[in-house]
Amino acid sequence: EVQLVESGGALVQPGESLRLSCAASGFTLSTHDMSWVRQAPGKGLEWISFIAGRDGATYYADSVKGRFTISRDSGKNSLYLQMNSLRGEDTGVYYCSLSKFASWGQGTLVTVSS
Amino acid sequence: DVVLTQSPLSLPVTLGQSASISCRSSESLVYSDGNTYLIWFHQRPGQSPRRLIKKVSDREFGVPDRFSGSGSGIDFTLKISRVEAEDVGVYYCMQGSRWPWTFGQGTKVEIK
């Protein structure tokens, strides 16, 4: 059974950094496309990053380009999102998702506030 | 960026009746491989989204056949026949044909 478990969410101050993790089970993460999607409180869904299973190519939304980095560790079967220079508008629940969103984790909450 | 405009944004429905949600794209979503990567999701309050339909009309395994997707090019529709109480929540369309991928604003379905 496919399972995705996000972790690493926290309350941080503007300008600080945070790394989110997504532990996968039931499939080999490094051979599948993976994405991060976020949802601000009471708002809609926003796709923010993608990593290709085939060649590791990465893509980002303009809102996070240059500040966030998606990566993966095949040994740990995990996906990561390194988030730097955090802003208040980065507050929300962050989800990892498999392939074109076939499966989702439960999400982890990031709050950026002074 | 591709803008997806959903309508209506709020949809009160009567149990047993049908409901339709429109998703209009600012440009064609036909990808270079000939596929159209238009996806529909359902999100219940407090839950993660669930993919209902991929590539316009391809229903996920386990999704009731009351849900159907249609459309082409820039105009897409999700139809729910015989709405049930479990269908409440927010429905999103999303395009995976053009970078950056984008979501519609969401349509909130509630029971009258």
Side-chain angles (χ1 to χ4, degrees):
Chain A
E1 179 193 359
V2 168
Q3 192 170 18
L4 299 168
V5 179
E6 300 94 337
S7 62
L11 169 62
V12 297
Q13 295 196 345
E16 292 188 338
S17 299
L18 199 60
R19 190 177 84 151
L20 304 183
S21 301
C22 171
S25 58
F27 70 102
T28 302
L29 185 145
S30 61
T31 62
H32 288 76
D33 298 341
M34 298 292 297
S35 287
W36 286 98
V37 174
R38 69 183 179 186
Q39 187 168 35
K43 301 298 183 182
L45 300 170
E46 180 189 14
W47 169 83
I48 57 171
S49 188
F50 167 91
I51 184 166
R54 181 171 53 90
D55 59 5
T58 59
Y59 296 85
Y60 299 92
D62 289 344
S63 58
V64 306
K65 199 176 296 182
R67 299 189 300 124
F68 290 12
T69 304
I70 190 172
S71 63
R72 62 192 179 194
D73 183 329
S74 55
K76 294 183 178 180
N77 211 36
S78 292
L79 180 74
Y80 303 100
L81 187 68
Q82 176 67 42
M83 304 186 296
N84 298 332
S85 303
L86 283 162
R87 307 166 180 167
E89 54 265 37
D90 296 319
T91 293
V93 175
Y94 285 69
Y95 298 98
C96 65
S97 185
L98 165 65
S99 293
K100 272 202 165 77
F101 313 102
S103 294
W104 296 65
Q106 84 291 347
T108 187
L109 177 62
V110 173
T111 304
V112 184
S113 175
S114 55
Chain B
D1 297 1
V2 173
V3 176
L4 297 180
T5 302
Q6 289 185 228
S7 61
L9 298 184
S10 179
L11 185 55
V13 295
T14 301
L15 290 173
Q17 297 299 303
S18 64
S20 284
I21 301 170
S22 168
C23 176
R24 185 158 293 176
S25 175
S26 61
E27 57 186 90
S28 173
L29 298 182
V30 179
Y31 188 58
S32 54
D33 64 2
N35 288 308
T36 299
Y37 294 102
L38 190 284
I39 304 168
W40 288 98
F41 299 90
H42 177 213
Q43 186 177 33
R44 295 189 178 101
Q47 295 187 13
S48 302
R50 175 195 182 194
R51 190 173 74 178
L52 298 175
I53 288 172
K54 63 182 187 285
K55 289 193 281 187
V56 181
S57 57
D58 190 1
R59 197 168 46 244
E60 289 294 316
F61 178 78
V63 172
D65 59 8
R66 303 182 290 102
F67 291 89
S68 62
S70 63
S72 63
I74 65 169
D75 227 344
F76 304 93
T77 301
L78 176 70
K79 183 176 180 181
I80 313 171
S81 306
R82 306 179 306 280
V83 169
E84 299 185 4
E86 65 180 18
D87 300 336
V88 299
V90 182
Y91 290 81
Y92 296 93
C93 60
M94 184 247 171
Q95 66 82 19
S97 294
R98 306 268 183 270
W99 297 108
W101 293 350
T102 47
F103 285 89
Q105 320 98 297
T107 294
K108 186 174 184 179
V109 171
E110 59 184 13
I111 304 300
K112 283 182 185 176

